Amino acid sequence: MSWLQILFYLVVLVVLAKPLGGFMARIYEGEMPACARWLAPLERAIYRFCGLRADQEQGWKSYAGAMLAFNLLGLLAVYALQRLQGFLPLNPAHMAAVSPDSSFNTAVSFATNTNWQGYGGETTMSHLTQMLGLSVQNFVSAASGMAVLVALARGFTRKSSSTIGSFWVDLVRSTVYILLPLSIVLALVLVSQGVVQNFAAPVVAHTLQGAEQSISMGPAASQIAIKQLGTNGGGFFNVNSAHPLENPTAFSNLLEMLSILLISAGLCFTFGRLVKDKRQGLALLASMLIVLAPCIVMVQLFEQAGTHAQQLAGVELSAAADQPGGNMEGKELRLGIANSAIWSVATTAASNGSVNAMHDSFTPLGGLWPMWLIQLGEVIFGGVGSGLYGLLLFAIVAVFVAGLMVGRTPEYLGKKIGAFEMQWASFAILAPCVAVLFGTAVAVLLDAGRAGVANPGAHGFSEILYAFSSAGNNNGSAFAGLSANTPFFNIALGFAMLVGRYLVMLPVLAIAGALAAKKLVPAGPGTLPTHGLLFVLLLVSTVLLVGALTFIPALALGPIVEQLQMLH
Amino acid sequence: MYKKNLFDPAITRRAVRDSFRKLDPRLQIRNPVMFVVWVCAVFTSALALQALLGHGEAPFGFILAVSLWLWITLLFANFAEALAEGRGKAQAESLRKTRRDVQAKRLLNAKDRTRHESVSAPSLRKGEVVLVEAGDVVPCDGEVLEGVASVDESAITGESAPVIRESGGDRSAVTGGTRVLSDWLVVRVAANPGEAFLDRMIALVEGSKRQKTPNEIALGILLAALTIVFLLATATLLPFSAFAVHASGQGQTVTVTVLVALLVCLIPTTIGGLLSAIGIAGMDRMIQANVIANSGRAVEAAGDVDVLLLDKTGTITLGNRQAVEFLAAPGVTPEELADAAQLSSLADETPEGRSIVVLAKERHGLRERRIQEIGAVFVPFTAQTRMSGVDFEGRQIRKGADDAIAAWIASRRGSLAPEVRAQVERIARGGGTPLLVAEGDRVLGVIHLKDVVKGGIRERFGELRRMGIRTIMITGDNSLTAASIAAEAGVDDFLAQATPEAKLALIREHQSQGHLVAMAGDGTNDAPALAQADVAVAMNSGTQAAKEAGNLIDLDSNPTKLIEIVEIGKQMLMTRGSLTTFSIANDVAKYFAIIPAAFALTYPELKSLDVMHLATPASAILSAVIFNALIIVFLIPLALRGVAYRPIGAAALLRRNLLVYGLGGLVVPFAGIKLIDLALSSLGLA
């Protein structure tokens, strides 16, 4: 059954992603499909309100400037909302102002599409902060990522052009035509499954033991829809989608799992259509699936196999009708191992970070895959837009080495890859690695960093490494166990998130600008084909090799040694 | 020119000396990857000294061994570069020998070659005029203003047959260092001292002026980025390890020596150490192919060329039309026609005329006769009659173009048979040239003259096509003739009735579509097109203008040399790409060797990652470092010779090279490190 569920999930994902990808391509090319035309007045109204012109193109510097300014504005707004929430309406639980460092962390986290949460949502944020701050950022940070991807795609298709589109138009279209309608539909379906959506104060319940329990309420469904679709991952409730009011049924679980990867998968098809060669998009999607599917299988295998201690104790670990078997610590009994395995891999492959099980409680080798997927740089599906442009950076590097190997100046999609592109692609691949390794090193050196560790030994190291991997690659999922809501972690992780987001986005836009200005080289027999299996394998190897070579020493001191210790 | 053994003893000796000289940090810093190794070597030497004084972090012997092997790694990389340079330097020296202190005869007045003064060649400036007489060495590059002479250019081209140099036309360029064998030339100096052809050639082979090519720069950036990644991955291991010791409560923090060893093993030293050797060797191979490149950039661009423009004459065809067929008119026997054709051509020294005599002999066994002996009178070709022929024993035999002969017999009240007219049309349609032979008022038949395509050229174009290069033939012929030759030679396209403007437009058109265009040319009228082409091969026999417009000069003046140039360009890129892949793939095995060894005391459990079962932690680390150094030496021959190019299409080539250098790079170090470990432990060294 587990394997069937996994296969079913992957098939449904691809089947849904294809039409969505085609739809998105048409949106970005400016030819509105009939089903989206009713939203056009909204788009026009936004342009009128902001005094924008839809046909005004930008060069890469101007595009990047607009993107940065807009993101900075969002960051400041979220910071202000948290600091001032005590004086603002829609605060039935009378939440006080959030601390400066936590506000900084959260503001950065939501602006960078990381959605790392150092705080407990229902016990920290007012409804206004959640809706006006976090939910809005969930939309626009996702839309920013999609915009940058589309700009890069234009870099590949345009010939001797000085512009790469308009950030404002890409941002508005991503939000109005794609994210908004999809999340409204998803939110309504989730409400039908029992996810709460209200503005009520907490409900007080009396348990059978007579204890008093306060059950938080709020506009959860709307935020969950976009947190999944926009690869945000910041849950409404602290335990995220393990909470029954956030993820009540098996169907809601399936929908939420699909929506984690839906747009990222769809964007592969979009890219193929934008560069006028659908096979290129398929090759990128295939590269992602080749890494994703085995990871799900590995987590499923290791979690079902249980821990060494369980095996020694002779516990029955196989799944049966009346028991899930395997390692169920930290997993929801309603959902079981397969659904936790798919979710954990999908959420870390995409830079989503929402969880329906606690990765900290996975077996060491089960938990290794989610962490490793994050460390691969969030390019296997990755964040909406950001995942694909990240993978394209790797494609540039792969094409460069491969191009040399066939004796030709390397080119990708008809654009010659020169020193400028290599410089910025290397820089963008390097930046998150620096954030992760340097951040972890600082944390284990300082008392402030070591103090947050809950578990002794190698596991404690894994917790810190995971936190910085998650922040530096804008994932946002947590390994749990680490007390990260301290000034040190809030600030250090905040900077890691900034590096991991903008020091990738800016090089990508620079590359887009440089590519757009180049001529298009027609393909010939001497051109390396970039749509076949060979290239897919080469691209995957490049991603894996860079990821592995960078993080093997650190991983060896964390999860690998942990697993070995458990065996001894 | 001349090929040399890869490890010529004299060159090798000098390379060994040079590899020590190159340890100078000012030279090392040019190569970021190897500079990191240099810093590491200095650092571990200091650590070894510290250990000797009794405060070491690890046993003195171990630190010393690591440090020594880091120095050896540097020496090996230097040796590779020095060896590549040495081969060039040896060549440069033999070139310098041709440039003895030559005295030039500078004319006081360019118009008067009787009055000249003797000056030394290096003092000649551009624009001055010199006289070169039989036996003199040409003192400078220049253009012949006056005179005709045979010149021995063997010093430059290696070709011993003398060539003719004369004023005007396409053979007016002379090169400094060559020798005039007969007659005299008045030459205008074309280059200032230090800028001449020989200077460029010497600078090039010595590698002193070698600028990095665009792909080399891009690769350098990638290698630097990888170096930073590994620097970070190893540097952060120090705090990680301290935390691990703290957490596990056992062992000790990893030593700096081990981290340095790990760093040097991980950074791409293999390709970093061989990178400049590959570039120098590429230029060296060019020179061995008798091609002088203005820059490495041109060589690299040659690898990217996808459109090739070739002149028909001399490149695709033998250069002249040849008679291939006699077609007799009705009532005339073929022997009769052949006999008349031969008689009319006996005194005709043009290649076409000679080919008629040869054909008559081959087909009809007609021996060549001497025109004086048989008492015939030769009627030479004139622009007015456009015919040539003989008057012989009262017979008047003429041959010429169809309209000229038709006019001639019409004046004698003869007429052209419709069969002959049909033959003429058929030949013209097929791209050939019909010549009519007439005697008196009677047309005897038609000689079919045809451009003869060079043997083997079709196969070469097929090879180019498999490389992904389209060939376009350029010719002044009409499109009918051009099409037929194009089909016969197997070119992909042709440009008929080409003018210099049309050539330029054709190149621009292809470039605007994103193609990279190569062209070979020799004439002054080729110069604009050569300047516009991305890769322009000028023939050494060509004019000064053409040579200045080109970025490659072929000393053999063989236009199909482009194929070799393209191959060398591709080889250079392939060698770099393959060694990069190999270098990075090597790292996997090194991790398996070093990580368990480095943390043997803190986390003994990691021993199960040691799939090679290496003897001791110290031996594991040392083996990895030694392997890392030795692999550079093993790859020097490959770096100098280059990875073989095969025209089998990009995907097949990539699959092949990935298999050899990618998979090989993964597997080889496992075996290599294990072997070194066995050797070390059996010698009791670790």
Side-chain angles (χ1 to χ4, degrees), chain B residues 309 311 519-523 526 530 536-540 542-543 546-547 559:
Chain B
L309 304 189
D311 258 334
M519 155 157 188
D522 55 0
D526 287 330
L530 283 172
V537 186
M539 301 299 115
N540 190 45
T543 59
K547 281 156 93 171

Side-chain angles (χ1 to χ4, degrees), chain A residues 397 400-410 416-420 422-424 426-427 430 433-438 440-442 444-445 450 453 456-458 460-461 464-465 519-522 524-529 534-535 538 545-546 548-554 556-557 560-561 564-565 568, chain B residues 214-215 217-219 221-222 225 228-230 232-233 236-237 239-241 243-244 246-248 262 300 303-306 465-469 511-516 569-570 573-578 580-581 584-585 587-588 591 595 599 603 605-606 608-609 645 649-651 653-655 657-658 661:
Chain A
V397 172
F400 180 75
V401 176
L404 289 186
M405 269 199 283
V406 299
R408 226 176 121 106
T409 294
K416 281 205 183 327
I417 305 298
F420 184 85
M422 280 313 290
Q423 183 180 332
W424 290 112
S426 304
F427 183 89
L430 204 64
C433 299
V434 174
V436 174
L437 288 174
F438 188 71
T440 310
V442 170
V444 299
L445 277 176
R450 286 197 295 249
V453 174
F461 180 72
I464 297 180
L465 182 63
K519 286 191 285 192
L520 214 53
V521 183
T527 314
L528 180 75
L534 187 67
F535 180 73
L538 186 76
L545 209 63
V546 171
L549 293 179
T550 315
F551 292 107
I552 275 184
L557 294 181
I560 295 175
V561 75
L564 293 171
Q565 279 173 337
H568 277 271
Chain B
N215 279 315
I217 293 169
L219 180 59
I221 290 168
L222 179 68
I228 295 171
V229 165
F230 291 126
L232 196 73
T236 51
L237 265 184
F240 292 175
S241 154
F243 182 81
H246 171 75
S248 69
L262 180 61
E300 209 172 73
D304 289 345
V305 161
D306 51 6
R465 204 168 299 118
R466 284 195 299 279
M467 285 174 159
I469 298 171
Q511 284 174 335
S512 72
Q513 290 163 11
H515 293 286
L516 224 62
K570 283 186 182 294
L573 295 189
M574 282 169 57
T575 313
R576 288 197 199 116
S578 301
T580 304
T581 310
I584 298 168
D587 285 354
V588 176
Y591 265 134
I595 293 287
F599 300 102
Y603 289 130
E605 300 89 349
L606 285 175
S608 47
L609 290 184
Y645 175 78
L653 204 59
L654 178 64
R655 198 173 315 125
N657 285 336
L658 269 183
Y661 299 98

Side-chain angles (χ1 to χ4, degrees), chain B residues 384-387 399-410 436:
Chain B
Q384 284 78 40
T385 60
R386 294 190 295 131
M387 293 183 301
K399 72 169 198 289
D402 52 343
D403 52 341
I405 295 290
W408 192 66
I409 55 167
L436 290 188

Side-chain angles (χ1 to χ4, degrees), chain A residues 291 371-380 390-401 422 425-434 436-437 473 537-555, chain B residues 221-234 266 268 580-581 583-588 591 666:
Chain A
V291 180
M371 169 145 54
W372 185 62
L373 278 169
I374 295 174
Q375 288 171 339
L376 287 185
E378 290 302 353
V379 297
I380 305 305
L391 188 64
L392 288 168
L393 291 174
F394 277 99
I396 287 176
V397 172
V399 148
F400 180 75
V401 176
M422 280 313 290
S426 304
F427 183 89
I429 290 172
L430 204 64
C433 299
V434 174
V436 174
L437 288 174
N473 291 296
L537 292 179
L538 186 76
L539 177 56
V540 170
S541 320
T542 310
V543 173
L544 297 190
L545 209 63
V546 171
L549 293 179
T550 315
F551 292 107
I552 275 184
L555 286 173
Chain B
I221 290 168
L222 179 68
L223 297 181
L226 282 170
T227 306
I228 295 171
V229 165
F230 291 126
L231 194 61
L232 196 73
T234 44
L266 293 180
T580 304
T581 310
S583 193
I584 298 168
N586 269 209
D587 285 354
V588 176
Y591 265 134
L666 276 180

